[in-house]
């Protein structure tokens, strides 16, 4: 499977207000560089200093948002669907230094109709910062719009 970069660019343009990946959102995470690595979708996250919770530590809610976004892109790229988050369980494993660059990955591990189970991971080099497992629901009305 290869990633259709034209389709990724189209989705990014349609949802440029997205807090996670929207380039036009002035306060968003601006996640970019989505790539397919086997069955996982990967991206790089360079947080801004404003995302710190305290003393150069990335706020846990920002980490959760990055994991949620990696999960959504895994669904878009590998399943050709847009999804809503129904449940997201997160395990924080290590301090996330706000001034560091992080790697994100997301993989669909199970699909049953409109229900997808997606695992995501955020790392700082070889250190796992956080992992998530989420239940996502296909947004059928929006998915049809994204294909046009």
């Amino acid at each position: 499977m290869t990633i259709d970069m034209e389709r990724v660019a189209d989705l990014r343009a349609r949802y440029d207000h997205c807090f996670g990946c929207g380039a036009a959102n002035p306060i968003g995470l601006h996640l970019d560089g989505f790539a397919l690595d086997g069955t996982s979708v990967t991206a790089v996250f360079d947080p801004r200093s404003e995302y710190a919770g305290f003393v150069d530590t990335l706020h846990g809610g920002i980490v959760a948002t990055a994991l949620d976004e990696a999960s959504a892109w895994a669904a878009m790229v590998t399943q050709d669907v847009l999804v809503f988050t129904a449940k997201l369980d997160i395990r924080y494993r290590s301090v996330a230094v706000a001034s560091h660059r992080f790697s994100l990955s997301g993989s669909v591990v199970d699909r049953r109709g409109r229900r997808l189970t997606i695992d995501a991971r955020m790392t700082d080099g070889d250190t796992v910062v956080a992992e998530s497992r989420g239940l996502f629901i296909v947004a059928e009305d929006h998915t049809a719009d994204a294909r046009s």
Side-chain angles (χ1 to χ4, degrees), residues 118-134:
I118 304 174
D119 287 349
R121 176 180 275 201
M122 182 170 149
T123 59
D124 182 355
D126 292 333
T127 302
V128 176
V129 172
E131 299 171 304
S132 66
R133 173 160 280 196

Side-chain angles (χ1 to χ4, degrees), residues 26-45:
I27 62 169
L29 302 186
H30 298 165
L31 295 175
D32 199 2
F34 298 98
L36 190 61
D37 183 9
T39 59
S40 295
V41 172
T42 61
V44 173
F45 177 33

Side-chain angles (χ1 to χ4, degrees), residues 1 26 30 34 39 58-59 73 75 87 100 103 108 140:
M1 177 186 309
H30 298 165
F34 298 98
T39 59
L58 201 57
H59 189 283
W73 276 92
K87 178 180 176 181
H100 286 195
S103 297
V108 175
E140 291 174 337

Side-chain angles (χ1 to χ4, degrees), residues 36-116:
L36 190 61
D37 183 9
T39 59
S40 295
V41 172
T42 61
V44 173
F45 177 33
D46 289 310
R48 299 181 353 202
S49 61
E50 294 88 354
Y51 299 149
F54 59 90
V55 193
D56 199 32
T57 300
L58 201 57
H59 189 283
I62 296 295
V63 173
T65 301
L67 292 168
D68 183 69
E69 193 70 15
S71 298
W73 276 92
M76 284 188 275
V77 171
T78 67
Q79 303 293 307
D80 198 30
V81 295
L82 297 176
V83 293
F84 292 116
T85 309
K87 178 180 176 181
L88 191 64
D89 293 319
I90 302 167
R91 291 188 179 256
Y92 295 93
R93 304 265 186 209
S94 176
V95 170
V97 179
S99 59
H100 286 195
R101 169 178 268 194
F102 301 94
S103 297
L104 296 166
S105 64
S107 301
V108 175
V109 295
D110 186 46
R111 180 170 182 182
R112 296 176 190 211
R114 293 182 58 220
R115 299 166 60 98
L116 287 78

